[in-house]
């Protein structure tokens, strides 16, 4: 069950928890902005409870039960990695709040809400992205999304977005102000883009499907210029009844224009679709 656990992953998850804590305690919490998911919920609960419940305690009490609940569906390694990240996050947040005065203003951005929203989102997004990339999650709302989104007819991303919108609306209603919830939406946007960057990287892979009658000529040029394999898929036109080839080819985003130019120069009538691929690994297809 735990045979695939990695010490390297634990070290990176520890670092991710510390990074997440820096983003929250030094940028968001001092100016009462809200993080996303259960982290944002813990911030709201601790604000309402005053000194009775610290953010770190709320964070653990809200998150851990959901990671344990998702144990059977998501696996033991994921659960252990996630609990490690959350506990590190909570303890780091507590230690930082004890060592640094973060009660009223950010040590780096003062009381500037925009700077706190952007940099708090980016830094917490780095922590969340590293956690996801190395086998865990730092927020139990993602576990909720995996378990319940499909049953509700939603995607995981939509489920998380709806949760955050509800969280910000509740915060606005409780404190009778929409300024902080609106700035928190900026935090959410910065965080989600940063997570995408950390998990998928800057150079996202794209796949091209090329329907053409000149598959050999196009494939030869693609293979020669880009230096990797090409895959052919047999196809037939519905109306014409003619046999055709579909070329499947993977490029990065900087190579898309060159690919289009190669295809149109050989077969101006070719039909091309280009889609984003979340990840690609293994030996080049068609080598």
């Amino acid at each position: 069950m735990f045979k695939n656990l990695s010490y390297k992953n634990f070290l990176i998850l520890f670092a991710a928890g510390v990074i997440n804590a820096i983003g929250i305690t030094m940028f968001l919490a001092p100016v009462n902005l809200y993080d996303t998911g259960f982290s944002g919920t813990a911030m709201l609960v601790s604000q309402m409870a005053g000194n009775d419940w610290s953010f770190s305690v709320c964070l653990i009490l809200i998150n851990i039960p959901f990671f344990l609940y998702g144990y059977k569906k998501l696996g033991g390694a994921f659960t252990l990695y996630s609990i490690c990240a959350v506990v590190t996050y909570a303890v780091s947040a507590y230690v930082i709040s004890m060592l640094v005065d973060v009660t009223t203003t950010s040590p780096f951005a003062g009381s500037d809400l925009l700077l706190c929203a952007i940099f708090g989102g980016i830094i917490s997004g780095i922590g969340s992205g590293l956690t996801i990339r190395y086998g865990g999650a730092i927020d139990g709302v993602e576990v909720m999304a995996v378990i319940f989104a499909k049953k509700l007819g939603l995607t995981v991303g939509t489920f998380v977005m709806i949760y955050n919108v509800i969280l910000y609306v509740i915060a606005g209603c409780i404190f009778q102000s929409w300024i902080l919830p609106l700035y928190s939406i900026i935090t959410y946007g910065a965080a989600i883009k940063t997570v995408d960057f950390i998990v998928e990287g800057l150079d996202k892979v794209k796949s091209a499907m090329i329907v053409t009658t000149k598959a050999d000529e196009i494939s030869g040029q693609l293979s020669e210029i880009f230096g990797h394999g090409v895959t052919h898929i047999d196809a037939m036109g519905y109306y014409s009844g003619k046999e055709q080839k579909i070329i499947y080819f993977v490029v990065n985003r900087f190579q898309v224009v060159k690919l289009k130019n190669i295809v149109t120069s050989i077969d101006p009538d070719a039909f091309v679709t280009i889609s984003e691929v979340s990840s690609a690994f293994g030996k080049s297809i068609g080598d």
Side-chain angles (χ1 to χ4, degrees):
M1 179 171 58
F2 298 114
K3 61 183 179 180
N4 294 323
L5 293 177
S6 166
Y7 289 111
K8 175 186 174 182
N9 284 27
F10 278 114
L11 288 174
I12 294 175
L13 291 169
F14 177 83
V18 174
I19 292 169
N20 223 82
I22 291 171
I24 301 306
T25 57
M26 291 194 174
F27 287 93
L28 301 182
V31 292
N32 294 323
L33 293 178
Y34 303 102
D35 192 20
T36 63
F38 286 167
S39 179
T41 304
M43 295 173 78
L44 178 60
V45 172
S46 65
Q47 281 182 15
M48 294 173 61
N51 295 325
D52 296 330
W53 293 87
S54 72
F55 166 70
S56 297
V57 172
C58 293
L59 187 69
I60 291 176
L61 291 178
I62 295 173
N63 273 288
I64 300 300
F66 284 94
F67 287 128
L68 295 175
Y69 179 74
Y71 169 78
K72 286 186 178 180
K73 188 174 183 67
L74 300 173
F78 172 86
T79 301
L80 199 57
Y81 283 150
S82 300
I83 291 174
C84 170
V86 170
V87 171
T88 302
Y89 173 21
V91 172
S92 299
Y94 178 79
V95 171
I96 291 171
S97 65
M98 292 294 102
L99 298 177
V100 183
D101 182 10
V102 290
T103 53
T104 56
T105 58
S106 164
F108 300 104
S111 56
D112 191 313
L113 291 177
L114 183 58
L115 286 178
C116 288
I118 292 173
F119 284 95
I122 290 173
I123 294 171
S124 66
I126 292 172
S128 298
L130 286 172
T131 308
I132 294 170
R133 184 160 184 167
Y134 287 91
I138 209 163
D139 199 312
V141 76
E142 295 163 4
V143 178
M144 278 183 60
V146 171
I147 295 172
F148 298 115
K150 189 174 182 180
K151 297 177 182 178
L152 297 173
L154 302 171
T155 65
V156 170
T158 301
F159 184 98
V160 173
M161 182 184 68
I162 292 173
Y163 182 93
N164 287 321
V165 169
I166 293 173
L167 171 65
Y168 298 148
V169 169
I170 291 173
C173 291
I174 290 173
F175 296 107
Q176 295 296 301
S177 173
W178 298 101
I179 294 176
L180 296 178
L182 288 173
Y183 272 105
S184 296
I185 294 174
I186 297 175
T187 299
Y188 173 59
I192 199 68
K193 285 297 181 182
T194 305
V195 169
D196 287 343
F197 171 76
I198 296 296
V199 174
E200 300 177 4
L202 177 65
D203 193 12
K204 290 186 177 179
V205 174
K206 295 182 180 292
S207 66
M209 299 283 283
I210 306 164
V211 182
T212 177
T213 56
K214 300 180 179 179
D216 291 336
E217 295 94 320
I218 292 174
S219 297
Q221 283 292 304
L222 293 177
S223 182
E224 180 180 343
I225 292 173
F226 293 110
H228 62 84
V230 183
T231 296
H232 283 182
I233 303 170
D234 291 326
M236 179 177 290
Y238 175 72
Y239 289 106
S240 65
K242 294 181 179 178
E243 291 187 358
Q244 295 179 322
K245 296 281 187 182
I246 296 176
I247 301 171
Y248 182 80
F249 196 69
V250 175
V251 293
N252 64 46
R253 64 180 182 145
F254 302 108
Q255 298 171 326
V256 170
V257 173
K258 184 180 287 187
L259 179 142
K260 290 179 180 178
N261 291 336
I262 292 171
V263 173
T264 54
S265 67
I266 297 173
D267 184 3
D269 297 323
F271 179 74
V272 182
T273 62
I274 296 175
S275 306
E276 195 166 278
V277 179
S278 61
S279 65
F281 57 91
K283 190 177 180 182
S284 178
I285 298 173
D287 282 354

